[in-house]
């Protein structure tokens, strides 16, 4: 973290990587694309952005996945309650962020299986938040929206109340008037099945 970054933009990134990839049959975090695992690529993107801190929340297969990660400046934490679903991983990541960086003004939630995510996209989320004073900024793709998504600290209490297998999309829907959307080309390409991965490899 550079002082430069800290002065301009106190946003943390949380990479939600705790799922067990049940439909895939092996940890999707470790699938290789363009010379890196999907998770390592996501970490590298987050660390190349203007965000000041990066937290990776693991759960299922945590030991296996940790062993494959390059030593990094990211904070790797394990959510023991990952089976509860996405909400517990969001809560755990946000609690960690607030502990490590009490001054955090915003958080960007990312997932580990969007291979076309870029640091430029993350920076655009932060710029729109700053310049347009939008307290939610989400990626937009196809005819929907989703991760990566930025929330200002105004929403931290509600993010910490999410339960079950509910992601943050419910909050975006609830506060559409506060939200802005940034085009994310190929954002709808994610990896849930071996067929998805085969199609990605053909790209």
């Amino acid at each position: 973290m550079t002082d430069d970054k800290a002065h301009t933009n106190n946003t943390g990134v949380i990479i939600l990587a705790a799922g067990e990839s049940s439909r895939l049959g092996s940890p999707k975090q470790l699938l290789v694309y363009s010379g890196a695992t999907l998770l390592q690529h996501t970490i590298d993107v987050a660390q190349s952005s203007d965000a000041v801190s990066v937290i990776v929340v693991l759960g299922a297969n945590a030991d296996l996945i940790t062993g494959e990660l390059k030593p990094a400046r990211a904070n790797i934490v394990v959510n023991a309650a990952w089976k509860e679903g996405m909400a517990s991983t969001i809560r755990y990541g946000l609690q960690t962020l607030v502990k490590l960086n009490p001054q955090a003004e915003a958080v960007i939630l990312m997932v580990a299986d969007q291979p076309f995510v870029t640091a430029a996209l993350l920076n655009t989320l932060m710029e729109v938040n700053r310049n347009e004073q939008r307290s939610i900024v989400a990626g937009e793709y196809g005819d929907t929206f989703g991760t990566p998504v930025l929330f200002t600290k105004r929403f931290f209490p509600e993010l910490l109340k999410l339960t079950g297998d509910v992601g943050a999309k419910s909050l975006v829907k609830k506060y559409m008037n506060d939200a802005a959307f940034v085009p994310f080309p190929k954002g709808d390409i994610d990896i849930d099945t071996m067929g998805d991965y085969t199609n990605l490899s053909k790209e």
Side-chain angles (χ1 to χ4, degrees):
M1 171 175 124
T2 64
D3 287 342
D4 209 26
K5 278 187 180 184
H7 287 314
T8 55
N9 180 42
N10 199 340
T11 299
V13 171
I14 297 172
I15 299 170
L16 308 166
E20 65 177 333
S21 318
S22 53
R23 284 165 62 193
L24 189 74
S26 65
K28 68 168 95 171
Q29 298 92 328
L30 298 181
L31 291 176
V32 173
Y33 176 68
S34 274
T37 65
L38 288 176
L39 179 55
Q40 188 66 58
H41 167 70
T42 307
I43 293 170
D44 293 346
V45 163
Q47 291 187 323
S48 305
S49 78
D50 294 335
V52 296
S53 52
V54 179
I55 292 163
V56 183
V57 188
L58 301 177
N61 306 301
D63 290 347
L64 180 65
I65 293 165
T66 306
E68 295 293 323
L69 292 176
K70 288 191 311 212
R73 298 187 311 278
N75 298 282
I76 314 289
V77 295
V78 179
N79 172 25
W82 62 269
K83 283 185 178 167
E84 183 202 310
M86 182 69 87
S88 75
T89 301
I90 292 172
R91 292 197 315 265
Y92 194 81
L94 189 54
Q95 285 160 354
T96 305
L97 174 66
V98 171
K99 204 181 293 174
L100 293 176
N101 182 2
Q103 276 75 49
E105 293 292 325
V107 63
I108 293 175
L109 301 177
M110 298 178 71
V111 290
D113 66 338
Q114 286 180 310
F116 296 102
V117 71
T118 62
L121 174 64
L122 301 186
N123 290 342
T124 302
L125 298 183
M126 292 181 259
E127 279 160 27
V128 170
N129 162 235
R130 231 176 8 250
N131 299 339
E132 298 181 22
Q133 299 296 303
R134 293 301 187 105
S135 40
I136 299 175
V137 190
E140 187 171 38
Y141 30 88
D143 54 1
T144 187
F145 59 84
T147 51
V149 56
L150 177 149
F151 292 93
T152 60
K153 66 179 180 185
R154 170 188 155 197
F155 294 103
F156 287 8
E158 286 194 64
L159 286 166
L160 289 168
K161 285 185 189 147
L162 291 174
T163 56
D165 207 17
V166 175
K169 197 168 188 174
S170 56
L171 270 190
V172 184
K173 287 180 174 168
K174 185 174 170 185
Y175 294 103
M176 286 297 264
N177 291 342
D178 296 299
F181 300 92
V182 171
F184 175 12
K186 298 190 179 176
D188 49 353
I189 297 176
D190 59 11
I191 314 300
D192 288 321
T193 65
M194 213 28 107
D196 294 339
Y197 182 51
T198 305
N199 291 338
L200 174 67
S201 304
K202 285 181 191 154
E203 294 237 353

